[in-house]
């Protein structure tokens, strides 16, 4: 559901400090991003390359730090496909607030309503909706069984989105 450490701690009623968990997790996650050890979702590379080649302007509005997103994109040789990257260090209010998507649209110099958000988490859908963007929800192995409301289109996988973009 995208609640992060706080959400899991509350859900399981644990007596843990989310700041301490984050302090331990963040450098490890960054190292994985720097090393390119986090794989792309299946079909992601082809989808990104196809959209970029068609002249679609791409941005990322992420709940991760921008430096981690950039490191991952660089490791997978996709950084040049994106005009804007918005991480949690770029916005005071994070998803589900609209700010990450509004900043991304502003960096693209586009009105939010002319953008389309592709999301896999509930708080991302809420964020994009609040920003005034249409939303496509793409299921992943992790989110496939979680009901996520509010999308204009719900697809079972990134492969389905790739098929739509290809026109097949």
């Amino acid at each position: 559901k995208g609640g992060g450490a706080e959400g899991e701690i509350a859900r399981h009623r644990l007596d843990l400090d989310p700041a301490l968990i984050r302090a331990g997790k963040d450098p490890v996650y960054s190292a994985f991003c720097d090393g390119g050890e986090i794989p792309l979702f299946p079909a992601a590379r082809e989808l990104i390359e196809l959209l970029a080649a068609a002249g679609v302007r791409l941005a990322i509005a992420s709940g991760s730090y921008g430096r981690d997103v950039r490191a991952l994109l660089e490791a997978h040789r996709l950084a040049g496909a994106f005009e804007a990257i918005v991480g949690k260090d770029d916005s005071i209010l994070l998803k589900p607030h609209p700010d990450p998507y509004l900043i991304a649209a502003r960096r693209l110099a586009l009105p939010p309503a002319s953008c389309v958000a592709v999301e896999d988490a509930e708080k991302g859908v809420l964020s994009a909706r609040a920003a005034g963007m249409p939303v496509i929800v793409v299921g992943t192995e992790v989110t496939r069984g979680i009901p996520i409301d509010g999308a204009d289109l719900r697809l079972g996988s990134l492969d389905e989105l790739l098929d739509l973009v290809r026109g097949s």
Side-chain angles (χ1 to χ4, degrees), residues 119-134:
E119 267 296 342
D120 66 350
E122 181 178 57
K123 70 180 178 178
V125 172
L126 294 170
S127 175
R129 273 283 181 224
M133 293 182 186

Side-chain angles (χ1 to χ4, degrees), residues 15 35-36 49 58 64 72-73 83 87 96 102 109 111 113-114 150 161:
D15 186 24
E49 290 173 347
L58 302 173
S64 294
L72 247 161
L73 291 172
E83 289 185 47
L102 292 173
S114 70
L161 180 56

Side-chain angles (χ1 to χ4, degrees), residues 14-146:
L14 302 173
D15 186 24
L16 298 172
D17 181 356
L20 289 176
I21 292 172
R22 233 179 275 103
K25 179 201 79 102
D26 285 351
V28 173
Y29 180 73
S30 291
F32 278 112
C33 291
D34 290 339
E37 297 178 55
I38 298 174
L40 298 173
F41 284 119
R45 174 178 301 284
E46 187 177 352
L47 179 63
I48 292 164
E49 290 173 347
L50 186 62
L51 290 170
V56 175
R57 301 176 66 204
L58 302 173
I60 293 177
S62 177
S64 294
Y65 287 105
R67 68 177 182 270
D68 292 337
V69 174
R70 283 187 284 282
L72 247 161
L73 291 172
E74 288 170 15
H76 289 286
R77 294 183 298 281
L78 289 169
F82 294 89
E83 289 185 47
I85 295 169
V86 178
K88 68 179 173 182
D89 42 341
D90 292 306
S91 178
I92 294 172
L93 296 174
L94 306 177
K95 296 176 184 179
H97 295 281
D99 297 41
Y101 276 109
L102 292 173
I103 293 168
R106 189 168 36 252
R107 288 183 181 173
L108 292 174
L110 294 171
S114 70
C115 301
V116 175
V118 177
E119 267 296 342
D120 66 350
E122 181 178 57
K123 70 180 178 178
V125 172
L126 294 170
S127 175
R129 273 283 181 224
M133 293 182 186
V135 183
I136 299 172
V137 169
V138 176
T140 68
E141 288 182 23
V142 175
T143 64
R144 206 162 278 126
I146 299 172

